[in-house]
Amino acid sequence: MTIVWTNIVFSIAAFVILYFLLSKFAFSKLFGIMEKRRELVMQQMNEAANTREQAVAYVEEQKQALQQARQEAQQIIQQSQATSADQADRLMEQAKIEAERLKQDAVRDIDNEKNKAVEALRSELGTASVRIASKLLEKEVKVDGEQEKLVDQYLKEVGGRS
């Protein structure tokens, strides 16, 4: 195996010319594209970091809003419980007042009926007394025992009606 120095020199010269042409025409554009790509990647990474920060901030806002909504819901529940308890108390008080009024009406009605019954009894008793007196006056009384029999008989008649 022999080393051909001319081939090596031509290869090195071709490599140097190729490198010079590539650096003059291709490398600058290639490095420019790579730099643009690097800048694009950095920009996308920055945007992703900003988006992540915004997402974290949004999640925190949502957590706070959810917590506030829970607190408001709890307050509404407590207010509705207090309102329903107050309403129940008012209804109970109204029911007590209505029951007392009905009781007083019933007592008044009972007293009225009792007074009517007493008046009717007095009226009937007065009528009965007049009848007894008229029967006593009509009948001739000779013995005191017959008067008692007559009164007893009339009281039996009056007692049988009621």
Side-chain angles (χ1 to χ4, degrees):
M1 179 157 164
T2 61
I3 297 180
V4 181
W5 289 100
T6 56
N7 284 341
I8 292 177
V9 170
F10 281 127
S11 293
I12 290 176
F15 181 75
V16 169
I17 293 171
L18 181 62
Y19 181 77
F20 175 72
L21 290 174
L22 284 175
S23 68
K24 178 151 181 115
F25 296 110
F27 285 154
S28 62
K29 291 181 184 178
L30 182 64
F31 288 143
I33 291 172
M34 290 178 73
E35 183 63 27
K36 286 181 184 177
R37 178 70 179 157
R38 186 185 70 78
E39 288 174 2
L40 179 64
V41 168
M42 291 299 289
Q43 180 184 4
Q44 288 176 347
M45 286 177 58
N46 288 337
E47 287 176 4
N50 288 339
T51 304
R52 190 181 83 229
E53 289 174 5
Q54 289 174 352
V56 168
Y58 182 72
V59 166
E60 286 300 318
E61 287 175 12
Q62 291 303 315
K63 283 182 182 178
Q64 290 175 356
L66 181 62
Q67 183 66 24
Q68 185 178 1
R70 285 182 181 160
Q71 289 173 351
E72 289 174 2
Q74 187 66 26
Q75 289 174 349
I76 289 170
I77 290 171
Q78 289 173 350
Q79 287 174 352
S80 65
Q81 287 174 345
T83 302
S84 65
D86 289 344
Q87 194 172 25
D89 290 343
R90 278 184 274 148
L91 287 174
M92 289 297 289
E93 188 63 32
Q94 288 175 352
K96 286 179 183 177
I97 290 170
E98 182 67 16
E100 184 64 28
R101 186 188 63 78
L102 290 174
K103 179 181 169 185
Q104 289 173 354
D105 288 348
V107 166
R108 189 173 33 252
D109 289 345
I110 289 171
D111 285 342
N112 288 340
E113 289 299 319
K114 180 178 126 185
N115 290 337
K116 286 179 186 177
V118 167
E119 281 298 317
L121 188 59
R122 283 183 184 162
S123 173
E124 195 172 313
L125 189 57
T127 305
S129 298
V130 169
R131 283 185 196 166
I132 290 174
S134 66
K135 280 188 180 183
L136 286 176
L137 292 176
E138 287 177 6
K139 194 170 191 184
E140 181 179 324
V141 181
K142 294 183 182 176
V143 181
D144 289 331
E146 285 190 29
Q147 288 178 353
E148 285 182 29
K149 287 180 187 177
L150 187 59
V151 170
D152 287 338
Q153 179 185 356
Y154 186 73
L155 287 176
K156 285 181 187 177
E157 286 179 13
V158 171
R161 289 184 190 171
S162 34

